[in-house]
Amino acid sequence: MDTDGTHGAEGAQGAHGAYETPGGHGTPAHGTPAHGTPGAYGAPASGAPGPGPAREALRPGQVPRPAGPPPALPPLPPLPKERPGADGPRPAGSPPRPAHAPGGGPTLADWLRTPRRADGPGLWTYGHVPRAAVAPELTPLRQLISGALISLLAGLLLWSLLWNGYLGGFWLWPLYAFTPDAWNHDSFSVAAAYVWYGLVMLALVIGFGRLGRWPELLRRLLRPAARAAHPSAPARIEPGSAEDPVGWQQLRAAGLAEAAERLGADIAAGRMNDVDYTRIRRAWESVRADPSRLRAFAEAVHTKGAGACVHPSGARDLPVRAARHDLLARQVLLGTVEDGPRNPYPRRGTCLALDPAVLGTSLLAVGPSGTGKTRRLVRPVVESLALQALAGQAAVIVVAAAGAQLGPDAAYDVVVRIGDPGSAYDLDLYGGTTDPDEAATLLADAFVGDVAGLDVRRAATALAQLIGPFRAAYGRFPAVPELRELLDQVPATLAALRARLESAGQYPMLRELDARERQHGSTADPGPALADRVALLDRPAFASFFDVGAGDATGRPFSLRSLEHPVRVRIDLPERGHADASRMLARLLLAQFTAAATLRTDRSLFAFLAFDDASHTLTPETVRGVQRLRSAHAGVLLTLRTLDDVPEPLRTPLLGAVGCRMAFSGVTTWDGKRFAEAWGTEWVEARDVTSRTVFADQPLTRAIHAFRKLVTGKAVTTDAVTVRQVERERWSASDLAHSVPPGHAVLSLTSVDGERAAPLLVSLAG
């Protein structure tokens, strides 16, 4: 299905706010009516227009509908059991095959039954086996080998002495004492002798083996091969047990045994993927919160099986997956923690993953161009949240330059290509709000929030004095050309506005216009700066964008007020030809997101905004807004080439506002210094070794020392070791700039619960 068209705001929100179970009714936020017939979650109205240059006007805050109803799926025949991701044809109508999850090897049932153990933020929980808290005391391998060789030679020497009679025959007395005399020179006596020799040799091997620690040496030598051949795995959940997720025990306990059997049969037949399982489980959680949906849920599962409660777009998977995901734990695999001394021992060699528990504190990533910020960080994170959106758990928006490799258009519900005449969707310049003061505040921060010395509050007041009266007169906000004329105080535009306000009796709004006219032209007037910034959007390339419903507009504006729905949105900015306008729009989107996410009445969905390049995007107000996202079940991902792209006064507050910080290889020492300050210090054990020359008193000892110095060229010394606790930086600026290998990054994580993970050196080969 072509998902370039988007799903609408038709999924009514329940107690959990993510799913309208089949048969449910309701009205989403912002007054958008629920479409579709009962019995389909968020089913679109029939005959909805498809994507293309033609657009239909929507109300602010409304999410555009999908291009049409999803195609009806034919009855699914029984399928042979196969692992997800296996090669080979699949029958028509079966759900898309996951490219990487679950696991790339086990079946869906095995994937579900694999335990997941959390052992700190950012840990890949799928099949995790916890490690010891501290490293065990290990004897150096060289010492083990030398000890084993010495004990082996000693054992061979002792056996040779015994065998050749140099130590007498005392070791043979048990043989003579316990064998009958009748066995002399008999085959029985020969057999008994060899048995005794074998016992003596076994005793020597055991004794000298323990003395030389042969078992420990064998374990050290064979451990890597044994781990590779038989990796340790936790005990799996047994089928039939009460904890078995494949059996849908919660449905059976609620009296839905038939629905549980249908879903279990779809799992066994291969008709269900990881997105289906997660989506239906999410729908069941909403049913538990609102028992009135129980009957509709049961009917949908009985009718559609694994296709029940489908996403409004009709998609049950992404067209392609570029990373490995665990939807049961809502994680995406990012890389592997290096097994080295720079990392804490319990985390060495473990897999590192990101999930809403850590992304909810927001993430800042800094690294020069070419280090893989887009491919190794932004795309996996966006892809994970897009899968969660299909499961009704998240709403994700990604902002990037046109042409960024962030997945095909079919992986998104809404693709806004600003400046592209073929874009099917527009962007609401006012963020879906109907309050002139709120709209003015957001616009002022986006337009002049980066201008040093200009008071953003005065700019917001100036905008409110214009767009407030305009909305009172025309019932809408001004379009970009109209807003520019108002800021430039064009006489004809102001005269027409005054006439409409006077005819409507809007005298308070006339006083607002009078106040703006008095301030115009003064030394502290922010109007000229605002007009210059609005002029960046009043270009022929943007003539058909930022529609506000004026005239014969046919645009379908997307508003960030749609975060209460599980949407997948990509916004392409025209960085090449309109760099300044793109930065201004990026500031506007960040300001609108922080406002919309914190004002949501239903916060059951995790809302996330990802910037592929956040250069010149941050302002003092947006940094404060990022701090408020943690309590709003939302987060942002900000990537920068260098911290120099952030104003100097905001660099320290920005590092303090985010809970997750990531430094890629190749950062400068100036950037490394900021990260080192943010990560602080730790107590470590320092060993100081002092070498002192040994002076012998005895003539023989002096002669030996002189001969040793003649041979080695070094005087005989003795070492004095001092151990003490010192406080040092976790990662110094020099280490971050010069000691992080290519393809690696240093990452610190904080969960929304306040749990922290120390900075980890991670190989980003997800």
Side-chain angles (χ1 to χ4, degrees), residues 443-697:
L443 288 177
D445 193 43
F447 289 164
V448 295
D450 63 328
V451 179
L454 196 151
D455 190 355
V456 178
R457 290 175 296 181
R458 291 180 62 89
T461 301
L463 284 172
Q465 290 171 342
L466 294 173
I467 64 177
F470 191 95
R471 180 175 178 81
Y474 295 96
R476 59 176 177 85
F477 288 125
V480 172
E482 295 168 331
L483 181 58
R484 183 181 181 183
E485 292 177 354
L486 290 173
L487 289 169
D488 287 335
Q489 295 286 297
V490 176
T493 303
L494 290 177
L497 178 59
R498 280 184 174 278
R500 292 185 69 103
L501 291 174
E502 289 173 354
S503 62
Q506 295 283 355
Y507 300 108
M509 293 301 174
L510 288 171
R511 288 196 296 270
E512 288 283 278
L513 279 182
D514 293 337
R516 175 87 284 272
E517 290 182 359
R518 288 193 301 269
Q519 296 171 5
H520 181 69
S522 64
T523 56
D525 180 25
L530 289 170
D532 291 342
R533 290 302 178 89
V534 174
L536 295 175
L537 302 180
D538 190 18
R539 304 293 301 162
F542 306 132
S544 59
F545 284 85
F546 316 119
D547 179 66
V548 291
D552 298 328
T554 57
R556 292 195 287 180
F558 168 75
S559 167
L560 271 76
R561 293 299 174 109
S562 304
L563 293 177
E564 293 187 352
H565 309 284
V567 294
R568 303 167 294 162
V569 183
R570 193 184 79 217
I571 301 176
D572 294 343
L573 300 178
E575 289 261 344
R576 289 189 177 180
H578 305 274
D580 292 336
S582 296
R583 293 169 182 173
M584 189 168 63
L585 290 173
R587 289 194 296 270
L588 178 62
L589 289 169
L590 181 56
Q592 290 181 353
F593 177 83
T594 55
T598 53
L599 292 175
R600 289 184 300 168
T601 57
D602 181 4
R603 297 180 177 178
S604 61
L605 294 182
F606 178 66
F608 195 74
L609 175 66
F611 279 97
D612 187 49
D613 184 7
S615 301
H616 307 286
T617 300
L618 295 157
T619 65
E621 184 58 35
T622 53
V623 170
R624 286 190 288 268
V626 169
Q627 291 177 317
R628 295 191 293 266
L629 292 177
R630 184 181 304 192
S631 60
H633 198 204
V636 296
L637 168 60
L638 307 170
T639 63
L640 297 169
R641 286 184 289 270
T642 172
L643 286 174
D644 292 338
D645 291 335
V646 179
E648 172 65 28
L650 294 181
R651 294 172 192 171
T652 299
L654 174 62
L655 287 169
V658 297
C660 305
R661 310 175 188 97
M662 191 171 186
F664 281 77
S665 61
V667 297
T668 64
T669 52
W670 294 272
D671 289 343
K673 181 181 179 181
R674 296 285 185 178
F675 278 96
E677 292 174 352
W679 284 329
T681 59
E682 63 179 345
W683 289 96
V684 297
E685 185 180 89
R687 299 172 64 90
D688 298 329
V689 180
T690 305
S691 297
R692 295 179 295 179
T693 303
V694 178
F695 298 97
D697 297 330

Side-chain angles (χ1 to χ4, degrees), residues 158-210:
L158 179 58
W159 172 251
S160 178
L161 294 174
L162 292 174
W163 182 259
N164 292 292
Y166 291 106
L167 298 181
F170 70 93
W171 63 287
L172 296 174
W173 72 264
L175 177 63
Y176 300 142
F178 293 100
T179 56
D181 294 336
W183 286 9
N184 289 339
H185 307 291
D186 196 346
S187 59
F188 291 104
S189 65
V190 175
Y194 279 106
V195 169
W196 175 247
Y197 298 154
L199 292 175
V200 173
M201 291 181 66
L202 180 62
L204 291 176
V205 170
I206 293 176
F208 282 94
R210 296 191 62 180

Side-chain angles (χ1 to χ4, degrees), residues 192-414:
Y194 279 106
V195 169
W196 175 247
Y197 298 154
L199 292 175
V200 173
M201 291 181 66
L202 180 62
L204 291 176
V205 170
I206 293 176
F208 282 94
R210 296 191 62 180
L211 183 64
R213 294 189 286 189
W214 295 355
E216 183 177 351
L217 176 61
L218 290 176
R219 284 194 300 268
R220 292 281 295 276
L221 294 176
L222 299 179
R223 183 183 301 166
R227 280 186 175 178
H230 304 285
S232 4
R236 309 179 78 83
I237 301 175
E238 294 297 330
S241 64
E243 296 82 11
D244 184 18
V246 179
W248 298 92
Q249 303 298 334
Q250 293 182 343
L251 271 65
R252 298 179 188 275
L256 300 180
E258 185 178 355
E261 291 292 340
R262 172 64 191 274
L263 295 176
D266 284 354
I267 292 177
R271 291 190 292 265
M272 181 181 292
N273 62 13
D274 53 346
V275 178
D276 295 331
Y277 182 90
T278 311
R279 184 188 67 248
I280 294 174
R281 192 179 70 164
R282 167 73 173 179
W284 172 246
E285 292 175 358
S286 67
V287 170
R288 293 178 61 186
D290 185 4
S292 64
R293 302 180 178 182
L294 181 63
R295 182 178 177 182
F297 174 83
E299 292 178 354
V301 172
H302 176 74
T303 304
K304 301 179 181 179
C309 310
V310 73
H311 187 266
S313 66
R316 295 168 61 183
D317 201 354
L318 297 179
V320 63
R321 298 190 187 186
R324 185 178 177 186
H325 305 273
D326 182 10
L327 287 182
L328 206 59
R330 303 180 67 179
Q331 290 186 320
V332 56
L333 183 62
L334 207 64
T336 305
V337 179
E338 283 291 301
D339 191 0
R342 297 305 303 257
N343 291 322
Y345 180 77
R347 297 300 297 268
R348 296 177 190 173
T350 61
C351 294
L352 187 134
L354 298 179
D355 55 41
V358 296
L359 293 175
T361 63
S362 299
L363 191 154
L364 172 67
V366 178
S369 300
T371 53
K373 298 188 296 296
T374 300
R375 178 170 55 91
R376 294 173 174 172
L377 176 63
V378 179
R379 179 166 181 180
V381 169
V382 171
E383 190 175 90
S384 174
L385 293 171
L387 288 170
Q388 295 178 41
L390 291 179
Q393 297 174 322
V396 59
I397 301 171
V398 58
V399 181
Q405 300 300 317
L406 293 173
D409 293 352
Y412 299 91
D413 303 312
V414 176

